[in-house]
Amino acid sequence: MSLPLSSWTKKKNALRHINSCHDDRDTLITLHDRSCDNLRMSTHTREGTQDAYMEAACKTETSRKKTPSLELSGATQLPESINCLACSEDGRYLSLGYSKGLSVWCASSLICAAEWQQDTLEITYIQMTRMAERAYLLGTVDDMGVARVFAYHREAILLLSVINIMENINKRSICLTFELSEGGDCGAASISCNSIVWLEVYHFPTEAWLKELDKREREKQDPNLSGDLDVKWSPVAMVIKIKPPKIPAATALDDPLKVFQMTDFFTHCLFLDVDTSSSREWEEQSFDTSAGKTKETDESPRRCTQHFLLPWGQFPGGSKAKSQPAGLPVAVCVWWGGSHHLLQYLLQKAPKNKPDVEPMPDVLWPNTKEILCSAVSRCTRYIALGLDDALACVWDRQSGSPLSVVLVSAADSAFLRMQFVDYWPESPDDSQTFTAAKVYILVLCKSGATHTVTTGRGAQYCTVQLSERPKCSGDLPTVIASVPFLQSLSLVVQRNGEMFLQDVINKTTVCFLIPPTSHLIATPCNPVYTLNSKQQTLYIQGEQNPNCSPSSEEERQSQLFIFRFGALDIIKQYVVSLPDSPQQQNTLSCVNLEETCNFYLHQRALSVEERNKAITQTWKQLHETAVMVQQRHSRATATAT
């Protein structure tokens, strides 16, 4: 018996509804099962990640237990928390800067030898250098940006000069950086005023100051003279004032294409540098949506970085540079923020008939990328530049040419700072075979990763990742300082307060520095410390551990921790003896340009075999890179089709 069409349709729809309900239920069950599986997989993944972290932590703890530890050698109470700390080159004295003044301490007995105080003054930077046998210069900067020069002589601190005196409050000049050359003959200060920054280099009348200090001491011992002795100290002379480079008015070009018609290479490089900086400022303009028009961002001043240079290699105007006394800086190299080029200026006074003429650089070291950081070797022969796109360039002042240009790593972030590693391998005669000598550089990236670069003229360069980007912010290094009296070792201080010595050549941790359990390193993000090369000692400020209750009021005060590296046997194998100053190192200087060229060609001839090996290796790397790029392009084309 057949059913009516309407009844059959109703029955068919009902059956379809029942089947769809079963399908939905099956779908819900499947989704539930998948969710459970995903949750189970996610749980396993988290557990696996936690297990991996726990395993890594256990390995780190096990490695740390196997690594020797250097216990605290001593500690002394500080009158208050200090902002800065420095040590003289001869290792005799420490200088401390804090609120209301500064003081000088004996490094061996840790007793305050002299103090200078002034209310409403807080010293934030201090440097100390030996001017004579018993006379020292101190350079300071306070929290208001005022730079001063002091003298420590016969247990007294005397103010010799104020670098940037504020005569007009509306034109207040602020000292951004201040540096004394070793021996105190020169000083350099970067000054900011009304969003304009420039660099001033000074010559200090050290001989006149020594005579005035001795005269003051004699008058002080004269019983016929009483009261405070008012001494008029010899004034500081400014040698050179350097401003950010500008294109000379006679060479200003309206058409950028005309720059390629320039015959002056220096003007050509200068134009490209200034044009690049101007283009970057234009691109950084912001758009004001409320006003409906573009608005330029506040232009930040171009900060400068400078390094003093000792005599080495061929200098422009060589006779004037050679007439400088031995050991004095003869030039200063400068680079400005956003610049591609390093500029070198001879330290010569401006002509009396042209005192207001802006000095032009005597040497230009061109680079293809923007400079991010720089470092100068101890003897000032090599200048290392950290460039954009992870490039490191090392210039050799002896030959006047790049020692090498190295790609460090394209995966890490930009360079933050770099430094030369003190490493002197045994060699029969380094002065004659400098082509075989290697240069070691330590590079710190903004990500926290560190790399070592090994390079040399004619030799194959090598880059090694010393540490990866820290997974925990507490493991970020805040200090990586080369220890000059320990070969190839660097002092590392992390944000979590851990300290250790690291062999940057062999990529090993030599030992940990352990403070007492009741105290911690003060402000590990910006620790206050200094190294004493003569006594092979580290001084660093510590503070009370908040988790430990102090047993006395003295423990609440800040302390100065002392770590003596000679106390640990494993460190003794790294100890090296340094010359008293970099000026005492063997410095090869060429008399004229012809001698420089002959020396350069001679060294090129000696390094033919090494350079051929380096060229072969470079072509091999280029071929491998080309194959890898071609494979990536083929995969991308296949994916697109």
Side-chain angles (χ1 to χ4, degrees), residues 196-216:
I196 300 175
V197 178
W198 65 90
L199 179 71
E200 295 180 356
V201 182
Y202 314 95
H203 172 69
F204 296 142
T206 53
E207 294 183 0
W209 281 347
L210 288 173
K211 294 179 181 179
E212 292 163 358
L213 288 170
D214 292 336
K215 180 182 178 181
R216 179 186 180 277

Side-chain angles (χ1 to χ4, degrees), residues 362-378:
D362 298 285
V363 179
L364 184 143
W365 309 84
N367 302 278
T368 59
K369 297 293 182 180
E370 177 184 347
I371 303 176
L372 303 178
C373 55
S374 62
V376 173
S377 62
R378 178 177 170 82

Side-chain angles (χ1 to χ4, degrees), residues 425-492:
E426 295 184 359
S427 176
D429 191 356
D430 287 338
S431 62
Q432 296 297 327
T433 59
F434 89 102
T435 55
K438 294 183 179 179
V439 176
Y440 298 87
I441 302 173
L442 181 64
V443 179
L444 174 63
C445 300
K446 290 184 178 180
S447 63
T450 56
H451 303 263
T452 56
V453 179
T454 306
T455 184
R457 185 172 300 281
Q460 179 184 352
Y461 68 83
C462 175
T463 62
V464 177
Q465 188 174 33
L466 190 62
S467 64
E468 298 180 352
R469 177 176 182 173
K471 297 180 180 179
C472 178
S473 60
D475 295 334
L476 283 171
T478 57
V479 170
I480 299 182
S482 180
V483 184
F485 52 88
L486 298 178
Q487 183 165 260
S488 75
L489 295 193
S490 289
L491 172 68
V492 181

Side-chain angles (χ1 to χ4, degrees), residues 16-239:
R16 185 181 301 167
H17 175 71
I18 293 173
N19 292 334
S20 72
C21 291
H22 283 289
D23 293 339
D24 293 341
R25 182 175 179 275
D26 294 339
T27 303
L28 290 174
I29 293 174
T30 303
L31 291 176
H32 178 268
D33 293 340
R34 290 179 180 176
S35 300
C36 292
D37 292 340
N38 292 337
L39 181 60
R40 201 175 294 113
M41 291 176 61
S42 176
T43 303
H44 287 312
T45 303
R46 288 198 301 268
E47 290 178 353
T49 304
Q50 293 176 358
D51 291 342
Y53 278 119
M54 291 296 293
E55 184 179 356
C58 290
K59 288 182 179 180
T60 303
E61 186 65 22
T62 303
S63 175
R64 178 169 180 173
K65 289 181 179 180
K66 293 181 180 180
T67 304
S69 298
L70 179 62
E71 300 293 339
L72 192 67
S73 303
T76 185
Q77 298 291 333
L78 294 173
E80 57 182 300
S81 179
I82 60 177
N83 299 323
C84 47
L85 179 65
C87 182
S88 59
E89 297 96 346
D90 58 5
R92 292 181 178 178
Y93 295 100
L94 299 174
S95 55
L96 292 73
Y98 43 82
S99 178
K100 297 185 180 180
L102 67 152
S103 60
V104 173
W105 291 35
C106 179
S108 57
S109 63
L110 295 178
I111 297 176
C112 181
E115 191 174 13
W116 186 90
Q117 289 188 345
Q118 179 178 327
D119 294 337
T120 67
L121 178 68
E122 185 167 0
I123 302 297
T124 58
Y125 169 81
I126 194 167
Q127 184 184 357
M128 191 175 192
T129 185
R130 187 176 70 170
M131 183 170 50
E133 181 63 25
R134 292 292 180 179
Y136 299 81
L137 277 188
L138 294 94
T140 66
V141 180
D142 63 18
D143 57 340
M144 298 299 292
V146 178
R148 296 176 175 86
V149 179
F150 295 88
Y152 171 71
H153 182 253
R154 296 187 181 275
E155 299 183 353
I157 300 177
L158 305 169
L159 177 60
L160 300 181
S161 176
V162 180
I163 297 299
N164 52 328
I165 301 177
M166 300 181 185
E167 299 177 352
N168 187 350
I169 191 63
N170 296 324
K171 295 182 179 180
R172 189 169 70 93
S173 60
I174 299 175
C175 179
L176 303 177
T177 61
F178 186 42
E179 180 184 358
L180 304 178
S181 65
E182 187 171 342
D185 296 288
C186 299
S190 58
I191 308 295
S192 173
C193 181
N194 297 333
S195 300
I196 300 175
V197 178
W198 65 90
L199 179 71
E200 295 180 356
V201 182
Y202 314 95
H203 172 69
F204 296 142
T206 53
E207 294 183 0
W209 281 347
L210 288 173
K211 294 179 181 179
E212 292 163 358
L213 288 170
D214 292 336
K215 180 182 178 181
R216 179 186 180 277
E217 187 63 23
R218 291 193 301 268
E219 293 178 353
K220 185 179 179 181
Q221 296 176 358
D222 190 350
N224 298 325
L225 299 176
S226 60
D228 295 334
L229 300 177
D230 187 12
V231 180
K232 186 177 181 180
W233 307 103
S234 298
V236 174
M238 185 171 64
V239 179

Side-chain angles (χ1 to χ4, degrees), residues 5 141 178 231 282 284 402 452 469 532 557 571 574 627:
L5 182 59
V141 180
F178 186 42
V231 180
W282 178 262
E284 290 176 354
T452 56
R469 177 176 182 173
N532 189 329
Q557 298 178 355
I571 301 181
Y574 295 95
V627 172

